[in-house]
Amino acid sequence: MAESTTRNDGRSPGALRPITLERGASLYAEGSCLISAGRTRVLCTASVEQGVPGWRKGKGEGWVTAEYAMLPRATGSRNRRERGQVGGRTQEIQRLIGRSLRACVDMAALGEWTITIDCDVLQADGGTRTASITGGAVALHDACAWVAEKTGAPSAFRHYVAAISGGLVGGELLLDLDYSEDVRAEVDLNVVARENGGLIEVQGTGEHGDFTPEQLSRLVGTAADAIRQLNAMQRAAAG
Amino acid sequence: MAESTTRNDGRSPGALRPITLERGASLYAEGSCLISAGRTRVLCTASVEQGVPGWRKGKGEGWVTAEYAMLPRATGSRNRRERGQVGGRTQEIQRLIGRSLRACVDMAALGEWTITIDCDVLQADGGTRTASITGGAVALHDACAWVAEKTGAPSAFRHYVAAISGGLVGGELLLDLDYSEDVRAEVDLNVVARENGGLIEVQGTGEHGDFTPEQLSRLVGTAADAIRQLNAMQRAAAG
Amino acid sequence: MAESTTRNDGRSPGALRPITLERGASLYAEGSCLISAGRTRVLCTASVEQGVPGWRKGKGEGWVTAEYAMLPRATGSRNRRERGQVGGRTQEIQRLIGRSLRACVDMAALGEWTITIDCDVLQADGGTRTASITGGAVALHDACAWVAEKTGAPSAFRHYVAAISGGLVGGELLLDLDYSEDVRAEVDLNVVARENGGLIEVQGTGEHGDFTPEQLSRLVGTAADAIRQLNAMQRAAAG
Amino acid sequence: MAESTTRNDGRSPGALRPITLERGASLYAEGSCLISAGRTRVLCTASVEQGVPGWRKGKGEGWVTAEYAMLPRATGSRNRRERGQVGGRTQEIQRLIGRSLRACVDMAALGEWTITIDCDVLQADGGTRTASITGGAVALHDACAWVAEKTGAPSAFRHYVAAISGGLVGGELLLDLDYSEDVRAEVDLNVVARENGGLIEVQGTGEHGDFTPEQLSRLVGTAADAIRQLNAMQRAAAG
Amino acid sequence: MAESTTRNDGRSPGALRPITLERGASLYAEGSCLISAGRTRVLCTASVEQGVPGWRKGKGEGWVTAEYAMLPRATGSRNRRERGQVGGRTQEIQRLIGRSLRACVDMAALGEWTITIDCDVLQADGGTRTASITGGAVALHDACAWVAEKTGAPSAFRHYVAAISGGLVGGELLLDLDYSEDVRAEVDLNVVARENGGLIEVQGTGEHGDFTPEQLSRLVGTAADAIRQLNAMQRAAAG
Amino acid sequence: MAESTTRNDGRSPGALRPITLERGASLYAEGSCLISAGRTRVLCTASVEQGVPGWRKGKGEGWVTAEYAMLPRATGSRNRRERGQVGGRTQEIQRLIGRSLRACVDMAALGEWTITIDCDVLQADGGTRTASITGGAVALHDACAWVAEKTGAPSAFRHYVAAISGGLVGGELLLDLDYSEDVRAEVDLNVVARENGGLIEVQGTGEHGDFTPEQLSRLVGTAADAIRQLNAMQRAAAG
């Protein structure tokens, strides 16, 4: 029930935080976007290199990959830089971002170019992986345009993809959790979808409880609606 | 349409592969289970240590964690041992296994003991992560019993948890994919659930396509039914 | 001769680039400053932890240390993240920053607290190490104030320290080199000084030539004058 | 004196433990053998790759190398996976296995192919390195046959090589030590030999005492006899 | 005031320690020099390899690089070998040595050869980095001669480069500090210069105090004079 | 047959190379010895630390361990420093040295002190591991004396241990192989023994052939005789 919860910032359960997409935030990258979602801020840059990794050579297809990192003081207490082993959480997140963003692009149309999306979290208040996807898609759009201009072929970018989190907190379904909500959630869910509403990735986890198929359906449906709003912002940012 | 597909081994779309659970497969471990699912074979051992990691000390609660590895020749071609950096896929899998198995146990009842579930894939033919969860839960059951005997307290094991994969292959919903099906799948899904039908984890990915909320629901429902069969086998194995 | 050179941005040989110091740029850090010097942008955060490293324990003195990193696309082409070995250049730079910033603080007055200054380069156009020192000192000032408030003792911060680069380019003495000037320099110099004009560190290098003691003296003198301007900006930023 | 010792399992001092060689234990490897020696169990797989390491290229000769690892719970208490530095003991063992198995093969006849023997210890009760050699030779035999079939040339496999441990325990000469005997041994010895009785490797160590040349001779002689029995089992396994 | 200080070994403030240069100290290296400065001893070897690193290929120019290490017991207490991460101090030193020695050579005249100078400190009593440069230049001279003989072209070696430390200790300017002086120094300085008096590198640091431009000038001047003595010894050693 | 071979240096088959033991070669180490055997030179230092590794605490016993390394240009071509993974050969050698030197000492008499023997090869011409043992024992002797003086207890050093290599080269039994002989050897052997003639370690390897028990016996016997000469030199060096 909506009345039972007061969210920190007075949002309704199904409302997104204020979101801004600052396209072209980097002087050098072929595409870039600084995304803010509430107090979460992620700088997404897309870097283009000719050629593809060895295992993909000779097929005439491109590749899109992602890296994710947090600045040491993006959070309430300082984290050590991941300068040896990249941690499991980071690996899990950057694999999710990479898979999601590959769904934006027609690899055959891209040809043998590699686009790397770096998602560096400047400030974290929940939802950094979904913000990385949403902002990264804008950077990727511009990098595809850059390749298109270089090669004279049409852009290989096909669909915007965006992502949002949701969860069950105190039994209530909330969208776009901030950090204080995230740590209290019984179930948390990340949904990635295309502009056409097609789902790309759904990850639901119940660390402190289980959930029913019906709850999953409702969460996915609410998230999919929100993603349509994000897609509109992405299009608007791209001008 | 079911007729359109002939599965390698003649199974119907919603059928599991032959599964065996060999409890006590390790001489030394406090709990162990060698699980076979078709040609996939995973040795799951549960090792008990007194105490918990530093960040968890002083709460009187236990901890369950998992590690996952493949023997170099578990697959069709040899893979290098992960003797430096643990790869992203491995990290993602062992985090999933750990989260899933923690849902079996009442950590407060366990007290300050750590149980490590090692899932070593001897032979891989698809579904190694879900087999690891299903087999690992049996090993974990016995390790909890070992702690209970040691401390005189009742076992902290609460629910069996099992897991299964599913996917859309050529547009058809298939359960328990083998490797040849997995590589062709448009969408693949891993579902982890408790004996009561409660979902613990749902991970659906569309690398080669997207999927609708309805397809997700059907896949989750089919998987949940199969998990009930697996739970029965787990109980039977435990004697 | 001044007329022989036209600097990219029309500056005179001894002029600084436009510099801004945005204090409090990080939500969480105990002190922070986003410094821009022309197109170079560095986010400096100061994180406070109680206690000191093992080798320093029991003397009642504090410690200040620094880490330096570049975002992968801070520069014209993407650099790999330093996720194994930290490179020699990075080590050299972060040691310089640490030594320089330690000169700001009375370690006995600080007591057994450690302050870590993270200098993350968001965009690089020359002078990133000197900007890190100048911006880092502002972050350090605020972190010392935070400790002072916590302990009730007066702040251990004693002097602002700032830094600037200079060099001989085409035989001419230039101050505050941008990247295009830096790569052409015969000699480049970094000078770190206190508000009282006392030198803390002088590093002059002639990769493409040598230099005379007289040239060194002139460069150091010019840099020292510029550092006084930076000190004034630091004081102004601190409000 | 033989009467003074009662071995755990009632064996006579010069008797081997029950040994089984299960050829073809891996679905995918070009050669494989699961060897059991008492409670010690090692899965040996031989993987064939075309080409040789860089330092060996262009001579027309092949290469055989070995890797050795223990599953974390192969022993009484859990060992951490060697996921960074490979430990000294592991290095020493896998170098011994590699050298020994190279003596089976005519490298010129093999041609530029590399065969990697992975020896993964599933359960350890002493004698894992010698079991790895004895089982690995069977896997290597089949891998050579696989290459021969591929190339149409005769197999490059020349001699079976097998290995056994021995030691002085309480002053008595024992063969094929189990773990409980191994930790009590004053002297322990590993002998590797060919079917013709020719010695390939002899490693004798006295951590808790020294030994005479005569004791060494007797130990080597007893081991060499036992190796002939192992060679017969290897031939029998190969069918 | 000179009278106020008694140096350990009775030296005057501006005097060097006894220095010996033993050319050809290594049987195998293309150039080598064992330098002793007081109780500091560094073995410098120059190794020649055909070709240059990838980033330098195709320009027809050579490359000179340096590595620096201490034996574990080169100092009063044992240091662990740097067998993982190379420490910051080591990186800083070997970069300084490399930059300094590159100033000896005309890279275009050298052609595509790489010369690596290894500076291994056998015993350390202050001044190891400057001794490495002075001794390394002798090794480099001979390695250039070796290349010249091999190619028939004239040697690419152009100038000897040498280095010395100085500092302010108890307010007094001292040259060539030993370890006991170094730890007490308010300011320490390393100067690298060519035979013509041209400065190659100046690094002055005030960890325990600051220094004036005038003090810097005096230190640099005194060091430059001493370097001329070292250049003479280098020439004499080369016979 | 002795006539059939001319050794490089005209030695007879059973003769040692000229050997010198320079005790006290290091200014700082608690024991040290620079050993030369022909052109092989190894600096052995013994460093004493109070306490023992964690796994050995509380038994009142000491520990002796060894590290082995080559300078990069100890050999005919430059080897990279082992700055990540320590290679298998190094591991194998330093484990052999450690085991051998532990046989010199009564660990209970030593008490909870750790002695680390660093064996750094300055120049290599075969036999570096055996020279390390022979020279390391002298360094260890002096380090035990240092501990004895510190604690007032008698020295824990019991026996000198020395080592020598031998081999079959062209069918002939040779002692103390230099590098050119080592690479041609069909069989090579390292023997470690105590002053009383008791064997500590025997390692025989036939990479290019096999060997008979009789050949092994002869090699061991010849080596044992030579080790008695080395023991005498060790005693003489210790004065």
Side-chain angles (χ1 to χ4, degrees):
Chain A
M1 291 167 293
E3 325 59 326
S4 67
T5 305
T6 309
R7 300 184 80 171
N8 292 333
D9 48 7
R11 269 189 292 159
S12 68
L16 296 173
R17 290 180 284 181
I19 287 170
T20 61
L21 296 166
E22 181 189 338
R23 200 179 153 212
S26 156
L27 180 63
Y28 302 112
E30 284 79 23
S32 63
C33 179
L34 174 63
I35 180 169
S36 302
R39 311 206 293 190
T40 289
R41 269 190 293 152
V42 185
L43 178 58
C44 307
T45 59
S47 296
V48 176
E49 286 167 291
Q50 203 156 6
V52 287
W55 57 270
R56 208 173 162 83
K57 270 183 193 148
K59 302 184 186 170
E61 298 186 356
W63 186 239
V64 171
T65 185
E67 294 196 5
Y68 168 95
M70 283 213 190
L71 292 199
R73 199 53 197 278
T75 54
S77 61
R78 185 175 185 272
N79 297 296
R80 295 169 65 96
R81 292 171 196 275
E82 291 188 305
R83 272 178 167 166
Q85 176 81 14
V86 178
R89 180 183 170 275
T90 296
Q91 294 263 29
E92 197 175 83
I93 292 174
Q94 65 193 14
R95 284 166 61 85
L96 170 64
I97 300 170
R99 281 197 306 269
S100 300
L101 293 179
R102 282 192 283 279
C104 296
V105 174
D106 177 340
M107 294 299 173
L110 180 56
E112 294 210 347
W113 294 81
T114 295
I115 303 177
T116 302
I117 313 294
D118 286 288
C119 303
D120 285 273
V121 180
L122 305 185
Q123 201 162 275
D125 187 27
T128 59
R129 76 187 73 187
T130 51
S132 295
I133 293 168
T134 303
V138 173
L140 179 56
H141 172 274
D142 287 1
C144 287
W146 188 93
V147 174
E149 183 149 345
K150 195 87 174 179
T151 60
S155 169
F157 193 86
R158 290 291 173 269
H159 322 264
Y160 276 103
V161 158
I164 201 70
S165 74
L168 292 176
V169 184
E172 190 179 22
L173 192 158
L174 298 184
L175 198 72
D176 191 13
L177 309 185
D178 68 18
Y179 179 71
S180 69
E181 293 167 341
D182 191 51
V183 294
R184 288 182 299 127
E186 296 94 50
V187 176
D188 85 298
L189 181 80
N190 291 292
V191 178
V192 187
R194 278 190 183 150
E195 294 177 274
N196 65 356
L199 299 168
I200 296 299
E201 185 106 13
V202 172
Q203 294 195 343
T205 300
E207 277 254 16
H208 310 295
D210 54 14
F211 52 104
T212 64
E214 293 68 36
Q215 287 172 320
L216 177 67
S217 286
R218 276 185 56 216
L219 270 164
V220 169
T222 306
D225 291 344
I227 287 171
R228 265 176 221 114
Q229 299 175 50
L230 294 170
N231 290 145
M233 292 182 211
Q234 290 173 315
R235 291 214 161 265
Chain B
M1 290 167 294
E3 316 72 317
S4 66
T5 305
T6 309
R7 300 186 79 172
N8 292 335
D9 48 8
R11 268 188 293 156
S12 68
L16 295 173
R17 290 179 285 182
I19 287 169
T20 61
L21 297 164
E22 181 189 339
R23 199 179 152 212
S26 156
L27 181 63
Y28 303 112
E30 285 78 21
S32 63
C33 180
L34 174 61
I35 181 169
S36 301
R39 312 204 293 187
T40 289
R41 270 192 292 152
V42 185
L43 179 57
C44 307
T45 60
S47 297
V48 176
E49 285 168 291
Q50 203 155 6
V52 287
W55 57 270
R56 209 174 160 84
K57 270 183 193 149
K59 302 183 186 170
E61 297 185 358
W63 186 240
V64 171
T65 185
E67 294 196 5
Y68 169 94
M70 283 213 189
L71 293 200
R73 199 55 195 277
T75 52
S77 61
R78 185 174 186 271
N79 296 295
R80 296 170 65 96
R81 293 170 194 276
E82 292 189 304
R83 270 176 168 169
Q85 176 82 12
V86 178
R89 180 183 170 274
T90 297
Q91 293 264 27
E92 195 175 85
I93 292 175
Q94 65 193 13
R95 284 166 62 85
L96 170 64
I97 299 170
R99 281 196 306 267
S100 299
L101 293 179
R102 282 192 283 278
C104 296
V105 174
D106 177 339
M107 294 297 173
L110 180 56
E112 295 210 347
W113 294 82
T114 296
I115 303 177
T116 303
I117 313 293
D118 285 290
C119 302
D120 285 273
V121 180
L122 306 184
Q123 201 162 275
D125 187 27
T128 59
R129 75 187 74 187
T130 52
S132 295
I133 293 168
T134 303
V138 174
L140 179 56
H141 173 273
D142 287 2
C144 287
W146 187 94
V147 174
E149 184 149 343
K150 195 86 173 182
T151 60
S155 169
F157 193 86
R158 291 290 173 270
H159 323 265
Y160 277 103
V161 158
I164 200 71
S165 74
L168 292 176
V169 184
E172 190 179 22
L173 191 159
L174 298 184
L175 199 71
D176 192 13
L177 309 184
D178 68 18
Y179 179 71
S180 69
E181 293 166 340
D182 192 51
V183 293
R184 287 182 298 129
E186 296 95 49
V187 175
D188 85 298
L189 181 81
N190 291 292
V191 177
V192 186
R194 278 188 182 150
E195 294 177 274
N196 66 355
L199 300 168
I200 295 300
E201 185 106 12
V202 171
Q203 294 194 343
T205 300
E207 277 255 14
H208 309 297
D210 54 14
F211 52 105
T212 64
E214 295 68 36
Q215 286 172 320
L216 177 68
S217 285
R218 276 185 57 217
L219 270 164
V220 169
T222 307
D225 290 345
I227 287 172
R228 265 175 222 113
Q229 299 174 50
L230 294 170
N231 290 145
M233 292 182 211
Q234 289 174 316
R235 292 213 160 267
Chain C
M1 289 168 295
E3 8 348 13
S4 66
T5 305
T6 309
R7 300 185 79 172
N8 292 333
D9 48 7
R11 268 189 293 157
S12 67
L16 296 173
R17 290 179 285 182
I19 287 170
T20 62
L21 296 165
E22 181 189 339
R23 199 179 152 214
S26 156
L27 181 63
Y28 302 112
E30 285 78 22
S32 62
C33 179
L34 174 61
I35 180 170
S36 301
R39 312 205 293 188
T40 289
R41 269 191 292 150
V42 185
L43 179 58
C44 308
T45 60
S47 296
V48 175
E49 285 168 291
Q50 204 155 8
V52 286
W55 56 271
R56 209 174 160 85
K57 268 180 194 150
K59 302 184 184 169
E61 297 186 357
W63 187 240
V64 171
T65 185
E67 294 195 5
Y68 168 94
M70 282 214 190
L71 292 199
R73 198 54 196 278
T75 52
S77 61
R78 186 175 185 270
N79 297 296
R80 295 170 66 96
R81 292 171 194 275
E82 292 188 305
R83 270 175 169 169
Q85 178 81 15
V86 177
R89 180 183 170 274
T90 297
Q91 294 264 28
E92 196 175 83
I93 292 175
Q94 65 192 14
R95 284 167 61 85
L96 170 64
I97 300 171
R99 280 197 307 267
S100 299
L101 293 179
R102 281 192 284 279
C104 297
V105 174
D106 176 339
M107 294 297 172
L110 180 57
E112 295 209 347
W113 295 81
T114 296
I115 303 177
T116 303
I117 312 293
D118 285 289
C119 302
D120 285 273
V121 179
L122 306 184
Q123 202 161 274
D125 187 28
T128 60
R129 76 187 73 187
T130 52
S132 295
I133 293 168
T134 304
V138 173
L140 180 56
H141 173 274
D142 287 2
C144 287
W146 188 95
V147 174
E149 184 150 342
K150 196 85 173 182
T151 60
S155 170
F157 193 86
R158 291 290 173 270
H159 323 264
Y160 277 103
V161 158
I164 200 71
S165 74
L168 292 177
V169 184
E172 189 179 24
L173 192 159
L174 298 185
L175 198 73
D176 192 14
L177 309 184
D178 68 19
Y179 180 70
S180 68
E181 294 166 340
D182 192 51
V183 294
R184 287 182 297 128
E186 295 95 48
V187 175
D188 85 298
L189 180 82
N190 291 291
V191 177
V192 187
R194 280 189 181 149
E195 296 177 273
N196 65 356
L199 299 169
I200 296 300
E201 184 107 13
V202 171
Q203 294 194 343
T205 301
E207 278 254 14
H208 310 296
D210 53 15
F211 51 105
T212 63
E214 294 67 37
Q215 286 172 320
L216 177 68
S217 285
R218 275 185 57 217
L219 271 163
V220 168
T222 308
D225 291 344
I227 288 172
R228 265 176 221 115
Q229 299 173 49
L230 294 169
N231 290 145
M233 292 182 211
Q234 289 173 316
R235 292 213 160 265
Chain D
M1 291 167 293
E3 341 33 345
S4 66
T5 305
T6 310
R7 299 185 80 171
N8 292 333
D9 49 7
R11 270 189 292 158
S12 68
L16 296 174
R17 290 179 284 182
I19 287 169
T20 62
L21 296 165
E22 181 189 339
R23 200 179 152 213
S26 157
L27 181 62
Y28 303 112
E30 284 78 23
S32 63
C33 180
L34 174 61
I35 180 169
S36 300
R39 312 206 292 190
T40 289
R41 269 191 292 152
V42 185
L43 178 57
C44 307
T45 60
S47 297
V48 176
E49 286 168 291
Q50 203 155 7
V52 287
W55 57 270
R56 211 174 159 81
K57 269 183 193 150
K59 302 184 186 169
E61 298 186 357
W63 186 240
V64 171
T65 185
E67 294 196 5
Y68 169 94
M70 283 212 189
L71 292 199
R73 199 52 195 279
T75 54
S77 62
R78 185 176 185 271
N79 296 296
R80 295 170 65 97
R81 292 171 195 276
E82 292 189 304
R83 272 178 167 167
Q85 177 82 14
V86 177
R89 182 185 168 273
T90 296
Q91 295 263 29
E92 196 176 84
I93 292 175
Q94 64 193 13
R95 284 167 60 85
L96 170 64
I97 300 170
R99 281 196 307 267
S100 299
L101 294 179
R102 281 192 283 278
C104 297
V105 174
D106 177 340
M107 294 298 172
L110 180 56
E112 294 210 347
W113 294 81
T114 295
I115 303 177
T116 303
I117 312 293
D118 285 290
C119 302
D120 285 274
V121 179
L122 305 184
Q123 202 163 274
D125 187 27
T128 59
R129 76 188 74 187
T130 52
S132 295
I133 293 168
T134 303
V138 173
L140 180 56
H141 173 272
D142 287 2
C144 287
W146 187 94
V147 174
E149 183 150 345
K150 196 88 174 179
T151 59
S155 169
F157 193 85
R158 291 292 173 269
H159 324 265
Y160 277 103
V161 158
I164 200 69
S165 74
L168 292 177
V169 183
E172 190 179 21
L173 192 157
L174 299 184
L175 198 73
D176 191 15
L177 309 184
D178 68 18
Y179 180 71
S180 68
E181 293 167 340
D182 191 51
V183 294
R184 286 183 299 128
E186 295 94 52
V187 176
D188 84 298
L189 181 80
N190 292 292
V191 178
V192 186
R194 280 189 182 150
E195 294 177 274
N196 65 356
L199 299 168
I200 296 299
E201 185 106 13
V202 172
Q203 294 194 343
T205 301
E207 277 254 13
H208 310 296
D210 54 15
F211 53 105
T212 63
E214 294 68 37
Q215 287 172 319
L216 177 67
S217 285
R218 277 186 56 217
L219 271 164
V220 169
T222 307
D225 291 344
I227 286 172
R228 264 174 223 115
Q229 299 174 51
L230 294 170
N231 290 146
M233 292 182 211
Q234 290 173 316
R235 292 213 161 266
Chain E
M1 290 167 293
E3 318 69 321
S4 67
T5 305
T6 310
R7 300 184 81 170
N8 292 332
D9 48 7
R11 268 189 292 157
S12 68
L16 295 174
R17 291 180 284 183
I19 287 169
T20 62
L21 297 165
E22 181 190 339
R23 200 178 151 213
S26 157
L27 181 62
Y28 302 112
E30 284 78 23
S32 63
C33 180
L34 175 62
I35 180 169
S36 301
R39 312 205 293 188
T40 288
R41 270 191 293 152
V42 185
L43 178 57
C44 307
T45 59
S47 297
V48 175
E49 286 167 291
Q50 203 154 7
V52 287
W55 56 271
R56 210 173 160 83
K57 270 182 192 149
K59 303 183 186 169
E61 298 186 358
W63 186 239
V64 171
T65 185
E67 294 197 4
Y68 168 95
M70 282 213 190
L71 292 199
R73 199 52 196 277
T75 53
S77 61
R78 185 177 186 270
N79 297 296
R80 297 170 64 95
R81 290 172 195 274
E82 292 189 303
R83 272 177 168 167
Q85 178 81 14
V86 178
R89 181 183 169 275
T90 297
Q91 294 263 28
E92 197 174 84
I93 292 174
Q94 65 193 13
R95 285 167 60 85
L96 170 63
I97 300 171
R99 281 196 307 268
S100 299
L101 293 179
R102 281 193 284 279
C104 297
V105 174
D106 176 341
M107 294 298 172
L110 181 56
E112 295 210 347
W113 294 82
T114 296
I115 302 177
T116 303
I117 312 293
D118 285 289
C119 301
D120 286 273
V121 179
L122 306 184
Q123 202 162 275
D125 187 27
T128 60
R129 76 188 72 187
T130 51
S132 295
I133 292 168
T134 304
V138 173
L140 179 56
H141 173 274
D142 286 2
C144 288
W146 187 96
V147 174
E149 183 149 345
K150 196 86 173 178
T151 60
S155 170
F157 193 86
R158 290 290 172 269
H159 324 264
Y160 277 103
V161 158
I164 200 71
S165 74
L168 293 176
V169 184
E172 190 179 21
L173 193 158
L174 299 185
L175 198 73
D176 192 14
L177 309 184
D178 69 18
Y179 179 71
S180 69
E181 293 167 339
D182 191 52
V183 294
R184 286 182 300 126
E186 296 94 50
V187 175
D188 85 297
L189 180 81
N190 291 291
V191 177
V192 186
R194 279 189 182 149
E195 294 177 274
N196 65 356
L199 299 168
I200 296 299
E201 184 107 13
V202 171
Q203 294 195 343
T205 300
E207 278 255 13
H208 310 297
D210 53 16
F211 52 104
T212 63
E214 293 69 35
Q215 287 172 320
L216 177 67
S217 287
R218 276 185 57 218
L219 271 164
V220 169
T222 306
D225 290 345
I227 287 172
R228 264 175 222 116
Q229 300 175 50
L230 294 169
N231 290 146
M233 292 182 211
Q234 289 173 316
R235 291 211 162 267
Chain F
M1 289 168 295
E3 313 78 310
S4 66
T5 305
T6 310
R7 301 185 79 172
N8 292 333
D9 48 6
R11 269 189 292 158
S12 68
L16 296 173
R17 291 178 284 183
I19 288 170
T20 62
L21 297 165
E22 180 189 339
R23 199 178 153 214
S26 155
L27 181 64
Y28 302 113
E30 285 78 22
S32 63
C33 180
L34 174 62
I35 181 170
S36 301
R39 310 206 293 189
T40 289
R41 269 190 293 150
V42 185
L43 178 58
C44 307
T45 60
S47 297
V48 175
E49 285 168 291
Q50 203 155 7
V52 288
W55 57 269
R56 208 173 163 85
K57 269 181 192 148
K59 302 184 186 168
E61 297 186 357
W63 187 239
V64 172
T65 185
E67 294 196 5
Y68 168 95
M70 282 212 191
L71 292 199
R73 199 53 196 278
T75 53
S77 62
R78 186 176 185 269
N79 296 296
R80 296 169 65 97
R81 292 171 194 275
E82 292 189 303
R83 271 176 168 167
Q85 178 81 13
V86 177
R89 180 183 171 274
T90 297
Q91 294 263 27
E92 198 175 83
I93 292 175
Q94 65 192 13
R95 284 167 61 84
L96 170 64
I97 300 171
R99 281 197 308 267
S100 300
L101 293 179
R102 281 191 284 278
C104 297
V105 174
D106 177 340
M107 294 298 173
L110 179 56
E112 296 209 348
W113 294 82
T114 296
I115 303 177
T116 303
I117 312 293
D118 286 289
C119 302
D120 286 273
V121 179
L122 305 185
Q123 202 162 277
D125 187 27
T128 60
R129 77 187 72 187
T130 52
S132 296
I133 293 168
T134 303
V138 173
L140 180 56
H141 173 274
D142 286 2
C144 288
W146 188 94
V147 174
E149 183 149 342
K150 195 88 172 180
T151 61
S155 170
F157 193 85
R158 290 290 173 270
H159 322 265
Y160 277 103
V161 158
I164 200 70
S165 73
L168 293 177
V169 183
E172 190 178 23
L173 193 158
L174 298 184
L175 198 73
D176 192 14
L177 309 184
D178 68 20
Y179 180 71
S180 69
E181 294 167 339
D182 192 52
V183 294
R184 287 183 298 129
E186 296 94 49
V187 175
D188 85 299
L189 181 82
N190 291 292
V191 178
V192 186
R194 278 187 183 152
E195 294 176 274
N196 65 355
L199 298 168
I200 297 299
E201 185 106 14
V202 172
Q203 294 195 344
T205 301
E207 279 254 14
H208 310 295
D210 54 14
F211 52 103
T212 64
E214 293 67 36
Q215 286 172 320
L216 177 67
S217 285
R218 276 185 56 217
L219 270 164
V220 169
T222 307
D225 290 344
I227 288 172
R228 265 176 221 115
Q229 299 174 50
L230 294 169
N231 291 145
M233 292 182 211
Q234 290 173 316
R235 292 212 162 266

